[in-house]
Amino acid sequence: GAVVSQHPSRVICKSGTSVKIECRSLDFQATTMFWYRQFPKQSLMLMATSNEGSKATYEQGVEKDKFLINHASLTLSTLTVTSAHPEDSSFYICSARGVAGSIQETQYFGPGTRLLVL
Amino acid sequence: QKEVEQNSGPLSVPEGAIASLNCTYSDRGSQSFFWYRQYSGKSPELIMFIYSNGDKEDGRFTAQLNKASQYVSLLIRDSQPSDSATYLCAVKPGDYKLSFGAGTTVTVRA
């Protein structure tokens, strides 16, 4: 199998606070993890790519100091939204990809985290 | 030109009919092609992948790939109301990132 979990599934926070979202590959080692954001009725937007043990690569227009990504192990990546504001309210989805040549080389998505900043 | 283009739809089909979804891509070097299904409010779920020219069947789903035409399609046979979702075409153009189309929304009428 290729199961990816995310926690929390839903979070409501006050403006100015920081929120941490965890993404775990449960039954495979994820050499690469991807973080996406999706606004209502819009397509997925890739925010950043992280490889275990190295700094994340951010897409153009994504503030790396605002969206902190840590890929500390082959099964865990975290996204921290720092000083969240209402415009950061969105559906955040992680995706994990396993070792090249394995069946898990395909990208598998976590269930997503819905963030609402008041 | 977008890397991956899909008809946005919505595509409405009666129950039991075939739903046909199309996708074109710009990078001729692309090697891997994927179809994801996304229900409203949920994250994408992988339903098919295809690497070689031709057809690949999995249950009621058939993916078709034509690299010369830079075209990949998904057929859903015997469409069911539970197939109502947005279908995302994704292409891996040689580096490690998938490029997604904007998705085609399918509605299956009971």
Side-chain angles (χ1 to χ4, degrees), chain A residues 3-4 23-33 50-54 70-77 95-99:
Chain A
V3 181
V4 180
C23 177
R24 293 182 185 270
S25 56
L26 297 185
D27 52 0
F28 67 102
Q29 293 185 326
T31 51
T32 306
M33 285 190 174
S50 72
N51 291 295
E52 184 263 341
S54 59
N70 184 280
H71 192 161
S73 76
L74 285 172
T75 59
L76 173 64
S77 176
S95 177
R97 190 178 71 194
V99 175

mmCIF file with all atom_site columns, all heavy atoms in Angstrom, chain A residues 3-4 23-33 50-54 70-77 95-99:
data_model
loop_
_atom_site.group_PDB
_atom_site.id
_atom_site.type_symbol
_atom_site.label_atom_id
_atom_site.label_alt_id
_atom_site.label_comp_id
_atom_site.label_asym_id
_atom_site.label_entity_id
_atom_site.label_seq_id
_atom_site.pdbx_PDB_ins_code
_atom_site.Cartn_x
_atom_site.Cartn_y
_atom_site.Cartn_z
_atom_site.occupancy
_atom_site.B_iso_or_equiv
_atom_site.pdbx_formal_charge
_atom_site.auth_seq_id
_atom_site.auth_comp_id
_atom_site.auth_asym_id
_atom_site.auth_atom_id
_atom_site.pdbx_PDB_model_num
ATOM 1   N N   . VAL A 1 3  ? 0.020  4.692  1.994  1.00 0.00 ? 3  VAL A N   1
ATOM 2   C CA  . VAL A 1 3  ? -0.900 5.512  2.776  1.00 0.00 ? 3  VAL A CA  1
ATOM 3   C C   . VAL A 1 3  ? -0.173 6.722  3.326  1.00 0.00 ? 3  VAL A C   1
ATOM 4   O O   . VAL A 1 3  ? 0.916  6.610  3.887  1.00 0.00 ? 3  VAL A O   1
ATOM 5   C CB  . VAL A 1 3  ? -1.509 4.697  3.932  1.00 0.00 ? 3  VAL A CB  1
ATOM 6   C CG1 . VAL A 1 3  ? -2.479 5.567  4.732  1.00 0.00 ? 3  VAL A CG1 1
ATOM 7   C CG2 . VAL A 1 3  ? -2.214 3.462  3.399  1.00 0.00 ? 3  VAL A CG2 1
ATOM 8   N N   . VAL A 1 4  ? -0.784 7.863  3.139  1.00 0.00 ? 4  VAL A N   1
ATOM 9   C CA  . VAL A 1 4  ? -0.240 9.127  3.644  1.00 0.00 ? 4  VAL A CA  1
ATOM 10  C C   . VAL A 1 4  ? -1.267 9.739  4.588  1.00 0.00 ? 4  VAL A C   1
ATOM 11  O O   . VAL A 1 4  ? -2.440 9.848  4.240  1.00 0.00 ? 4  VAL A O   1
ATOM 12  C CB  . VAL A 1 4  ? 0.061  10.096 2.486  1.00 0.00 ? 4  VAL A CB  1
ATOM 13  C CG1 . VAL A 1 4  ? 0.616  11.413 3.018  1.00 0.00 ? 4  VAL A CG1 1
ATOM 14  C CG2 . VAL A 1 4  ? 1.054  9.463  1.512  1.00 0.00 ? 4  VAL A CG2 1
ATOM 15  N N   . CYS A 1 23 ? 2.658  15.659 8.043  1.00 0.00 ? 23 CYS A N   1
ATOM 16  C CA  . CYS A 1 23 ? 2.377  14.725 6.953  1.00 0.00 ? 23 CYS A CA  1
ATOM 17  C C   . CYS A 1 23 ? 3.259  13.505 7.140  1.00 0.00 ? 23 CYS A C   1
ATOM 18  O O   . CYS A 1 23 ? 4.478  13.631 7.282  1.00 0.00 ? 23 CYS A O   1
ATOM 19  C CB  . CYS A 1 23 ? 2.689  15.399 5.617  1.00 0.00 ? 23 CYS A CB  1
ATOM 20  S SG  . CYS A 1 23 ? 2.477  14.340 4.170  1.00 0.00 ? 23 CYS A SG  1
ATOM 21  N N   . ARG A 1 24 ? 2.638  12.352 7.183  1.00 0.00 ? 24 ARG A N   1
ATOM 22  C CA  . ARG A 1 24 ? 3.386  11.113 7.412  1.00 0.00 ? 24 ARG A CA  1
ATOM 23  C C   . ARG A 1 24 ? 3.087  10.075 6.336  1.00 0.00 ? 24 ARG A C   1
ATOM 24  O O   . ARG A 1 24 ? 1.929  9.875  5.958  1.00 0.00 ? 24 ARG A O   1
ATOM 25  C CB  . ARG A 1 24 ? 3.021  10.494 8.764  1.00 0.00 ? 24 ARG A CB  1
ATOM 26  C CG  . ARG A 1 24 ? 3.451  11.306 9.953  1.00 0.00 ? 24 ARG A CG  1
ATOM 27  C CD  . ARG A 1 24 ? 3.091  10.618 11.261 1.00 0.00 ? 24 ARG A CD  1
ATOM 28  N NE  . ARG A 1 24 ? 3.401  11.472 12.392 1.00 0.00 ? 24 ARG A NE  1
ATOM 29  C CZ  . ARG A 1 24 ? 4.566  11.481 13.010 1.00 0.00 ? 24 ARG A CZ  1
ATOM 30  N NH1 . ARG A 1 24 ? 5.549  10.679 12.608 1.00 0.00 ? 24 ARG A NH1 1
ATOM 31  N NH2 . ARG A 1 24 ? 4.779  12.288 14.030 1.00 0.00 ? 24 ARG A NH2 1
ATOM 32  N N   . SER A 1 25 ? 4.132  9.423  5.858  1.00 0.00 ? 25 SER A N   1
ATOM 33  C CA  . SER A 1 25 ? 3.937  8.243  5.017  1.00 0.00 ? 25 SER A CA  1
ATOM 34  C C   . SER A 1 25 ? 3.932  7.050  5.953  1.00 0.00 ? 25 SER A C   1
ATOM 35  O O   . SER A 1 25 ? 4.880  6.836  6.699  1.00 0.00 ? 25 SER A O   1
ATOM 36  C CB  . SER A 1 25 ? 5.051  8.133  3.972  1.00 0.00 ? 25 SER A CB  1
ATOM 37  O OG  . SER A 1 25 ? 6.326  8.128  4.589  1.00 0.00 ? 25 SER A OG  1
ATOM 38  N N   . LEU A 1 26 ? 2.845  6.293  5.958  1.00 0.00 ? 26 LEU A N   1
ATOM 39  C CA  . LEU A 1 26 ? 2.649  5.282  6.990  1.00 0.00 ? 26 LEU A CA  1
ATOM 40  C C   . LEU A 1 26 ? 3.288  3.937  6.654  1.00 0.00 ? 26 LEU A C   1
ATOM 41  O O   . LEU A 1 26 ? 3.685  3.199  7.551  1.00 0.00 ? 26 LEU A O   1
ATOM 42  C CB  . LEU A 1 26 ? 1.153  5.090  7.248  1.00 0.00 ? 26 LEU A CB  1
ATOM 43  C CG  . LEU A 1 26 ? 0.417  6.318  7.783  1.00 0.00 ? 26 LEU A CG  1
ATOM 44  C CD1 . LEU A 1 26 ? -1.022 5.964  8.117  1.00 0.00 ? 26 LEU A CD1 1
ATOM 45  C CD2 . LEU A 1 26 ? 1.116  6.907  9.001  1.00 0.00 ? 26 LEU A CD2 1
ATOM 46  N N   . ASP A 1 27 ? 3.367  3.610  5.389  1.00 0.00 ? 27 ASP A N   1
ATOM 47  C CA  . ASP A 1 27 ? 3.841  2.267  5.066  1.00 0.00 ? 27 ASP A CA  1
ATOM 48  C C   . ASP A 1 27 ? 4.928  2.273  3.999  1.00 0.00 ? 27 ASP A C   1
ATOM 49  O O   . ASP A 1 27 ? 5.194  1.249  3.378  1.00 0.00 ? 27 ASP A O   1
ATOM 50  C CB  . ASP A 1 27 ? 2.665  1.377  4.637  1.00 0.00 ? 27 ASP A CB  1
ATOM 51  C CG  . ASP A 1 27 ? 1.832  2.008  3.536  1.00 0.00 ? 27 ASP A CG  1
ATOM 52  O OD1 . ASP A 1 27 ? 2.157  3.137  3.086  1.00 0.00 ? 27 ASP A OD1 1
ATOM 53  O OD2 . ASP A 1 27 ? 0.848  1.377  3.118  1.00 0.00 ? 27 ASP A OD2 1
ATOM 54  N N   . PHE A 1 28 ? 5.541  3.419  3.789  1.00 0.00 ? 28 PHE A N   1
ATOM 55  C CA  . PHE A 1 28 ? 6.671  3.470  2.868  1.00 0.00 ? 28 PHE A CA  1
ATOM 56  C C   . PHE A 1 28 ? 7.538  4.665  3.236  1.00 0.00 ? 28 PHE A C   1
ATOM 57  O O   . PHE A 1 28 ? 7.123  5.567  3.964  1.00 0.00 ? 28 PHE A O   1
ATOM 58  C CB  . PHE A 1 28 ? 6.208  3.566  1.407  1.00 0.00 ? 28 PHE A CB  1
ATOM 59  C CG  . PHE A 1 28 ? 5.516  4.857  1.031  1.00 0.00 ? 28 PHE A CG  1
ATOM 60  C CD1 . PHE A 1 28 ? 6.182  5.853  0.335  1.00 0.00 ? 28 PHE A CD1 1
ATOM 61  C CD2 . PHE A 1 28 ? 4.183  5.067  1.371  1.00 0.00 ? 28 PHE A CD2 1
ATOM 62  C CE1 . PHE A 1 28 ? 5.541  7.030  -0.021 1.00 0.00 ? 28 PHE A CE1 1
ATOM 63  C CE2 . PHE A 1 28 ? 3.534  6.241  1.021  1.00 0.00 ? 28 PHE A CE2 1
ATOM 64  C CZ  . PHE A 1 28 ? 4.217  7.222  0.330  1.00 0.00 ? 28 PHE A CZ  1
ATOM 65  N N   . GLN A 1 29 ? 8.747  4.648  2.735  1.00 0.00 ? 29 GLN A N   1
ATOM 66  C CA  . GLN A 1 29 ? 9.661  5.743  2.984  1.00 0.00 ? 29 GLN A CA  1
ATOM 67  C C   . GLN A 1 29 ? 9.536  6.763  1.864  1.00 0.00 ? 29 GLN A C   1
ATOM 68  O O   . GLN A 1 29 ? 9.685  6.435  0.684  1.00 0.00 ? 29 GLN A O   1
ATOM 69  C CB  . GLN A 1 29 ? 11.099 5.223  3.070  1.00 0.00 ? 29 GLN A CB  1
ATOM 70  C CG  . GLN A 1 29 ? 11.335 4.344  4.289  1.00 0.00 ? 29 GLN A CG  1
ATOM 71  C CD  . GLN A 1 29 ? 12.790 3.936  4.420  1.00 0.00 ? 29 GLN A CD  1
ATOM 72  O OE1 . GLN A 1 29 ? 13.470 3.730  3.440  1.00 0.00 ? 29 GLN A OE1 1
ATOM 73  N NE2 . GLN A 1 29 ? 13.255 3.823  5.655  1.00 0.00 ? 29 GLN A NE2 1
ATOM 74  N N   . ALA A 1 30 ? 9.225  7.980  2.258  1.00 0.00 ? 30 ALA A N   1
ATOM 75  C CA  . ALA A 1 30 ? 8.999  9.045  1.287  1.00 0.00 ? 30 ALA A CA  1
ATOM 76  C C   . ALA A 1 30 ? 10.279 9.853  1.115  1.00 0.00 ? 30 ALA A C   1
ATOM 77  O O   . ALA A 1 30 ? 10.631 10.659 1.968  1.00 0.00 ? 30 ALA A O   1
ATOM 78  C CB  . ALA A 1 30 ? 7.859  9.941  1.754  1.00 0.00 ? 30 ALA A CB  1
ATOM 79  N N   . THR A 1 31 ? 10.943 9.640  0.023  1.00 0.00 ? 31 THR A N   1
ATOM 80  C CA  . THR A 1 31 ? 12.168 10.396 -0.221 1.00 0.00 ? 31 THR A CA  1
ATOM 81  C C   . THR A 1 31 ? 11.856 11.855 -0.546 1.00 0.00 ? 31 THR A C   1
ATOM 82  O O   . THR A 1 31 ? 12.659 12.737 -0.298 1.00 0.00 ? 31 THR A O   1
ATOM 83  C CB  . THR A 1 31 ? 12.959 9.772  -1.384 1.00 0.00 ? 31 THR A CB  1
ATOM 84  O OG1 . THR A 1 31 ? 12.086 9.611  -2.507 1.00 0.00 ? 31 THR A OG1 1
ATOM 85  C CG2 . THR A 1 31 ? 13.506 8.409  -0.997 1.00 0.00 ? 31 THR A CG2 1
ATOM 86  N N   . THR A 1 32 ? 10.698 12.083 -1.106 1.00 0.00 ? 32 THR A N   1
ATOM 87  C CA  . THR A 1 32 ? 10.295 13.438 -1.462 1.00 0.00 ? 32 THR A CA  1
ATOM 88  C C   . THR A 1 32 ? 8.862  13.672 -1.010 1.00 0.00 ? 32 THR A C   1
ATOM 89  O O   . THR A 1 32 ? 8.006  12.799 -1.176 1.00 0.00 ? 32 THR A O   1
ATOM 90  C CB  . THR A 1 32 ? 10.381 13.660 -2.989 1.00 0.00 ? 32 THR A CB  1
ATOM 91  O OG1 . THR A 1 32 ? 11.683 13.314 -3.444 1.00 0.00 ? 32 THR A OG1 1
ATOM 92  C CG2 . THR A 1 32 ? 10.098 15.119 -3.338 1.00 0.00 ? 32 THR A CG2 1
ATOM 93  N N   . MET A 1 33 ? 8.639  14.840 -0.442 1.00 0.00 ? 33 MET A N   1
ATOM 94  C CA  . MET A 1 33 ? 7.276  15.230 -0.081 1.00 0.00 ? 33 MET A CA  1
ATOM 95  C C   . MET A 1 33 ? 6.959  16.573 -0.705 1.00 0.00 ? 33 MET A C   1
ATOM 96  O O   . MET A 1 33 ? 7.842  17.430 -0.841 1.00 0.00 ? 33 MET A O   1
ATOM 97  C CB  . MET A 1 33 ? 7.110  15.276 1.433  1.00 0.00 ? 33 MET A CB  1
ATOM 98  C CG  . MET A 1 33 ? 7.030  13.882 2.058  1.00 0.00 ? 33 MET A CG  1
ATOM 99  S SD  . MET A 1 33 ? 6.548  13.944 3.786  1.00 0.00 ? 33 MET A SD  1
ATOM 100 C CE  . MET A 1 33 ? 6.375  12.216 4.168  1.00 0.00 ? 33 MET A CE  1
ATOM 101 N N   . SER A 1 50 ? 10.106 19.021 -0.753 1.00 0.00 ? 50 SER A N   1
ATOM 102 C CA  . SER A 1 50 ? 11.174 18.785 0.214  1.00 0.00 ? 50 SER A CA  1
ATOM 103 C C   . SER A 1 50 ? 11.714 17.374 0.082  1.00 0.00 ? 50 SER A C   1
ATOM 104 O O   . SER A 1 50 ? 10.973 16.421 -0.147 1.00 0.00 ? 50 SER A O   1
ATOM 105 C CB  . SER A 1 50 ? 10.682 19.039 1.640  1.00 0.00 ? 50 SER A CB  1
ATOM 106 O OG  . SER A 1 50 ? 9.806  18.025 2.062  1.00 0.00 ? 50 SER A OG  1
ATOM 107 N N   . ASN A 1 51 ? 13.017 17.276 0.210  1.00 0.00 ? 51 ASN A N   1
ATOM 108 C CA  . ASN A 1 51 ? 13.682 15.989 0.258  1.00 0.00 ? 51 ASN A CA  1
ATOM 109 C C   . ASN A 1 51 ? 14.231 15.789 1.661  1.00 0.00 ? 51 ASN A C   1
ATOM 110 O O   . ASN A 1 51 ? 14.679 16.745 2.300  1.00 0.00 ? 51 ASN A O   1
ATOM 111 C CB  . ASN A 1 51 ? 14.824 15.930 -0.761 1.00 0.00 ? 51 ASN A CB  1
ATOM 112 C CG  . ASN A 1 51 ? 14.305 15.922 -2.174 1.00 0.00 ? 51 ASN A CG  1
ATOM 113 O OD1 . ASN A 1 51 ? 13.631 15.001 -2.608 1.00 0.00 ? 51 ASN A OD1 1
ATOM 114 N ND2 . ASN A 1 51 ? 14.600 16.976 -2.915 1.00 0.00 ? 51 ASN A ND2 1
ATOM 115 N N   . GLU A 1 52 ? 14.165 14.574 2.119  1.00 0.00 ? 52 GLU A N   1
ATOM 116 C CA  . GLU A 1 52 ? 14.595 14.270 3.482  1.00 0.00 ? 52 GLU A CA  1
ATOM 117 C C   . GLU A 1 52 ? 16.003 14.760 3.741  1.00 0.00 ? 52 GLU A C   1
ATOM 118 O O   . GLU A 1 52 ? 16.918 14.483 2.960  1.00 0.00 ? 52 GLU A O   1
ATOM 119 C CB  . GLU A 1 52 ? 14.484 12.758 3.723  1.00 0.00 ? 52 GLU A CB  1
ATOM 120 C CG  . GLU A 1 52 ? 14.817 12.333 5.137  1.00 0.00 ? 52 GLU A CG  1
ATOM 121 C CD  . GLU A 1 52 ? 16.239 11.853 5.302  1.00 0.00 ? 52 GLU A CD  1
ATOM 122 O OE1 . GLU A 1 52 ? 16.864 11.503 4.284  1.00 0.00 ? 52 GLU A OE1 1
ATOM 123 O OE2 . GLU A 1 52 ? 16.729 11.813 6.442  1.00 0.00 ? 52 GLU A OE2 1
ATOM 124 N N   . GLY A 1 53 ? 16.135 15.543 4.798  1.00 0.00 ? 53 GLY A N   1
ATOM 125 C CA  . GLY A 1 53 ? 17.443 16.013 5.231  1.00 0.00 ? 53 GLY A CA  1
ATOM 126 C C   . GLY A 1 53 ? 17.975 17.230 4.512  1.00 0.00 ? 53 GLY A C   1
ATOM 127 O O   . GLY A 1 53 ? 19.075 17.690 4.805  1.00 0.00 ? 53 GLY A O   1
ATOM 128 N N   . SER A 1 54 ? 17.222 17.773 3.588  1.00 0.00 ? 54 SER A N   1
ATOM 129 C CA  . SER A 1 54 ? 17.712 18.965 2.894  1.00 0.00 ? 54 SER A CA  1
ATOM 130 C C   . SER A 1 54 ? 16.645 20.054 2.913  1.00 0.00 ? 54 SER A C   1
ATOM 131 O O   . SER A 1 54 ? 15.494 19.817 3.256  1.00 0.00 ? 54 SER A O   1
ATOM 132 C CB  . SER A 1 54 ? 18.132 18.635 1.461  1.00 0.00 ? 54 SER A CB  1
ATOM 133 O OG  . SER A 1 54 ? 17.053 18.112 0.735  1.00 0.00 ? 54 SER A OG  1
ATOM 134 N N   . ASN A 1 70 ? 9.820  21.348 7.092  1.00 0.00 ? 70 ASN A N   1
ATOM 135 C CA  . ASN A 1 70 ? 10.862 20.511 7.643  1.00 0.00 ? 70 ASN A CA  1
ATOM 136 C C   . ASN A 1 70 ? 10.603 19.062 7.264  1.00 0.00 ? 70 ASN A C   1
ATOM 137 O O   . ASN A 1 70 ? 9.492  18.559 7.467  1.00 0.00 ? 70 ASN A O   1
ATOM 138 C CB  . ASN A 1 70 ? 10.896 20.661 9.173  1.00 0.00 ? 70 ASN A CB  1
ATOM 139 C CG  . ASN A 1 70 ? 12.033 19.883 9.783  1.00 0.00 ? 70 ASN A CG  1
ATOM 140 O OD1 . ASN A 1 70 ? 11.955 18.668 9.966  1.00 0.00 ? 70 ASN A OD1 1
ATOM 141 N ND2 . ASN A 1 70 ? 13.104 20.567 10.093 1.00 0.00 ? 70 ASN A ND2 1
ATOM 142 N N   . HIS A 1 71 ? 11.586 18.417 6.683  1.00 0.00 ? 71 HIS A N   1
ATOM 143 C CA  . HIS A 1 71 ? 11.444 17.008 6.279  1.00 0.00 ? 71 HIS A CA  1
ATOM 144 C C   . HIS A 1 71 ? 12.502 16.239 7.058  1.00 0.00 ? 71 HIS A C   1
ATOM 145 O O   . HIS A 1 71 ? 13.551 15.890 6.523  1.00 0.00 ? 71 HIS A O   1
ATOM 146 C CB  . HIS A 1 71 ? 11.650 16.914 4.765  1.00 0.00 ? 71 HIS A CB  1
ATOM 147 C CG  . HIS A 1 71 ? 11.255 15.600 4.183  1.00 0.00 ? 71 HIS A CG  1
ATOM 148 N ND1 . HIS A 1 71 ? 10.999 15.441 2.842  1.00 0.00 ? 71 HIS A ND1 1
ATOM 149 C CD2 . HIS A 1 71 ? 11.065 14.383 4.724  1.00 0.00 ? 71 HIS A CD2 1
ATOM 150 C CE1 . HIS A 1 71 ? 10.684 14.197 2.590  1.00 0.00 ? 71 HIS A CE1 1
ATOM 151 N NE2 . HIS A 1 71 ? 10.717 13.531 3.720  1.00 0.00 ? 71 HIS A NE2 1
ATOM 152 N N   . ALA A 1 72 ? 12.194 15.983 8.320  1.00 0.00 ? 72 ALA A N   1
ATOM 153 C CA  . ALA A 1 72 ? 13.203 15.494 9.252  1.00 0.00 ? 72 ALA A CA  1
ATOM 154 C C   . ALA A 1 72 ? 13.523 14.019 9.084  1.00 0.00 ? 72 ALA A C   1
ATOM 155 O O   . ALA A 1 72 ? 14.608 13.566 9.442  1.00 0.00 ? 72 ALA A O   1
ATOM 156 C CB  . ALA A 1 72 ? 12.729 15.750 10.682 1.00 0.00 ? 72 ALA A CB  1
ATOM 157 N N   . SER A 1 73 ? 12.573 13.270 8.551  1.00 0.00 ? 73 SER A N   1
ATOM 158 C CA  . SER A 1 73 ? 12.810 11.838 8.391  1.00 0.00 ? 73 SER A CA  1
ATOM 159 C C   . SER A 1 73 ? 12.145 11.367 7.105  1.00 0.00 ? 73 SER A C   1
ATOM 160 O O   . SER A 1 73 ? 11.445 12.131 6.439  1.00 0.00 ? 73 SER A O   1
ATOM 161 C CB  . SER A 1 73 ? 12.255 11.066 9.579  1.00 0.00 ? 73 SER A CB  1
ATOM 162 O OG  . SER A 1 73 ? 10.839 10.961 9.491  1.00 0.00 ? 73 SER A OG  1
ATOM 163 N N   . LEU A 1 74 ? 12.365 10.119 6.773  1.00 0.00 ? 74 LEU A N   1
ATOM 164 C CA  . LEU A 1 74 ? 11.799 9.575  5.541  1.00 0.00 ? 74 LEU A CA  1
ATOM 165 C C   . LEU A 1 74 ? 10.302 9.309  5.646  1.00 0.00 ? 74 LEU A C   1
ATOM 166 O O   . LEU A 1 74 ? 9.685  8.875  4.678  1.00 0.00 ? 74 LEU A O   1
ATOM 167 C CB  . LEU A 1 74 ? 12.538 8.286  5.144  1.00 0.00 ? 74 LEU A CB  1
ATOM 168 C CG  . LEU A 1 74 ? 13.923 8.500  4.553  1.00 0.00 ? 74 LEU A CG  1
ATOM 169 C CD1 . LEU A 1 74 ? 14.642 7.172  4.390  1.00 0.00 ? 74 LEU A CD1 1
ATOM 170 C CD2 . LEU A 1 74 ? 13.848 9.218  3.218  1.00 0.00 ? 74 LEU A CD2 1
ATOM 171 N N   . THR A 1 75 ? 9.724  9.565  6.811  1.00 0.00 ? 75 THR A N   1
ATOM 172 C CA  . THR A 1 75 ? 8.287  9.340  6.952  1.00 0.00 ? 75 THR A CA  1
ATOM 173 C C   . THR A 1 75 ? 7.535  10.554 7.461  1.00 0.00 ? 75 THR A C   1
ATOM 174 O O   . THR A 1 75 ? 6.323  10.495 7.648  1.00 0.00 ? 75 THR A O   1
ATOM 175 C CB  . THR A 1 75 ? 8.007  8.160  7.906  1.00 0.00 ? 75 THR A CB  1
ATOM 176 O OG1 . THR A 1 75 ? 8.580  8.459  9.176  1.00 0.00 ? 75 THR A OG1 1
ATOM 177 C CG2 . THR A 1 75 ? 8.582  6.854  7.362  1.00 0.00 ? 75 THR A CG2 1
ATOM 178 N N   . LEU A 1 76 ? 8.233  11.658 7.691  1.00 0.00 ? 76 LEU A N   1
ATOM 179 C CA  . LEU A 1 76 ? 7.559  12.811 8.286  1.00 0.00 ? 76 LEU A CA  1
ATOM 180 C C   . LEU A 1 76 ? 8.037  14.120 7.670  1.00 0.00 ? 76 LEU A C   1
ATOM 181 O O   . LEU A 1 76 ? 9.231  14.383 7.565  1.00 0.00 ? 76 LEU A O   1
ATOM 182 C CB  . LEU A 1 76 ? 7.819  12.847 9.794  1.00 0.00 ? 76 LEU A CB  1
ATOM 183 C CG  . LEU A 1 76 ? 7.330  14.091 10.544 1.00 0.00 ? 76 LEU A CG  1
ATOM 184 C CD1 . LEU A 1 76 ? 5.805  14.188 10.481 1.00 0.00 ? 76 LEU A CD1 1
ATOM 185 C CD2 . LEU A 1 76 ? 7.805  14.059 11.989 1.00 0.00 ? 76 LEU A CD2 1
ATOM 186 N N   . SER A 1 77 ? 7.086  14.936 7.280  1.00 0.00 ? 77 SER A N   1
ATOM 187 C CA  . SER A 1 77 ? 7.360  16.310 6.865  1.00 0.00 ? 77 SER A CA  1
ATOM 188 C C   . SER A 1 77 ? 6.347  17.204 7.559  1.00 0.00 ? 77 SER A C   1
ATOM 189 O O   . SER A 1 77 ? 5.198  16.808 7.777  1.00 0.00 ? 77 SER A O   1
ATOM 190 C CB  . SER A 1 77 ? 7.230  16.467 5.345  1.00 0.00 ? 77 SER A CB  1
ATOM 191 O OG  . SER A 1 77 ? 7.412  17.819 4.947  1.00 0.00 ? 77 SER A OG  1
ATOM 192 N N   . SER A 1 95 ? 1.768  15.521 -0.263 1.00 0.00 ? 95 SER A N   1
ATOM 193 C CA  . SER A 1 95 ? 1.878  14.371 -1.145 1.00 0.00 ? 95 SER A CA  1
ATOM 194 C C   . SER A 1 95 ? 3.263  13.772 -0.943 1.00 0.00 ? 95 SER A C   1
ATOM 195 O O   . SER A 1 95 ? 4.233  14.506 -0.791 1.00 0.00 ? 95 SER A O   1
ATOM 196 C CB  . SER A 1 95 ? 1.680  14.813 -2.598 1.00 0.00 ? 95 SER A CB  1
ATOM 197 O OG  . SER A 1 95 ? 1.842  13.725 -3.477 1.00 0.00 ? 95 SER A OG  1
ATOM 198 N N   . ALA A 1 96 ? 3.322  12.464 -0.933 1.00 0.00 ? 96 ALA A N   1
ATOM 199 C CA  . ALA A 1 96 ? 4.589  11.795 -0.687 1.00 0.00 ? 96 ALA A CA  1
ATOM 200 C C   . ALA A 1 96 ? 4.934  10.886 -1.855 1.00 0.00 ? 96 ALA A C   1
ATOM 201 O O   . ALA A 1 96 ? 4.061  10.253 -2.453 1.00 0.00 ? 96 ALA A O   1
ATOM 202 C CB  . ALA A 1 96 ? 4.508  10.984 0.606  1.00 0.00 ? 96 ALA A CB  1
ATOM 203 N N   . ARG A 1 97 ? 6.218  10.841 -2.130 1.00 0.00 ? 97 ARG A N   1
ATOM 204 C CA  . ARG A 1 97 ? 6.696  9.976  -3.200 1.00 0.00 ? 97 ARG A CA  1
ATOM 205 C C   . ARG A 1 97 ? 7.819  9.106  -2.659 1.00 0.00 ? 97 ARG A C   1
ATOM 206 O O   . ARG A 1 97 ? 8.704  9.587  -1.951 1.00 0.00 ? 97 ARG A O   1
ATOM 207 C CB  . ARG A 1 97 ? 7.214  10.806 -4.373 1.00 0.00 ? 97 ARG A CB  1
ATOM 208 C CG  . ARG A 1 97 ? 7.510  9.966  -5.610 1.00 0.00 ? 97 ARG A CG  1
ATOM 209 C CD  . ARG A 1 97 ? 7.981  10.833 -6.750 1.00 0.00 ? 97 ARG A CD  1
ATOM 210 N NE  . ARG A 1 97 ? 9.321  11.340 -6.477 1.00 0.00 ? 97 ARG A NE  1
ATOM 211 C CZ  . ARG A 1 97 ? 9.881  12.322 -7.159 1.00 0.00 ? 97 ARG A CZ  1
ATOM 212 N NH1 . ARG A 1 97 ? 9.220  12.900 -8.124 1.00 0.00 ? 97 ARG A NH1 1
ATOM 213 N NH2 . ARG A 1 97 ? 11.083 12.709 -6.858 1.00 0.00 ? 97 ARG A NH2 1
ATOM 214 N N   . GLY A 1 98 ? 7.754  7.834  -2.993 1.00 0.00 ? 98 GLY A N   1
ATOM 215 C CA  . GLY A 1 98 ? 8.713  6.887  -2.453 1.00 0.00 ? 98 GLY A CA  1
ATOM 216 C C   . GLY A 1 98 ? 9.947  6.742  -3.314 1.00 0.00 ? 98 GLY A C   1
ATOM 217 O O   . GLY A 1 98 ? 10.235 7.540  -4.204 1.00 0.00 ? 98 GLY A O   1
ATOM 218 N N   . VAL A 1 99 ? 10.659 5.684  -3.055 1.00 0.00 ? 99 VAL A N   1
ATOM 219 C CA  . VAL A 1 99 ? 11.937 5.433  -3.703 1.00 0.00 ? 99 VAL A CA  1
ATOM 220 C C   . VAL A 1 99 ? 11.738 5.182  -5.191 1.00 0.00 ? 99 VAL A C   1
ATOM 221 O O   . VAL A 1 99 ? 10.792 4.507  -5.601 1.00 0.00 ? 99 VAL A O   1
ATOM 222 C CB  . VAL A 1 99 ? 12.614 4.202  -3.053 1.00 0.00 ? 99 VAL A CB  1
ATOM 223 C CG1 . VAL A 1 99 ? 13.890 3.818  -3.771 1.00 0.00 ? 99 VAL A CG1 1
ATOM 224 C CG2 . VAL A 1 99 ? 12.891 4.503  -1.579 1.00 0.00 ? 99 VAL A CG2 1
#
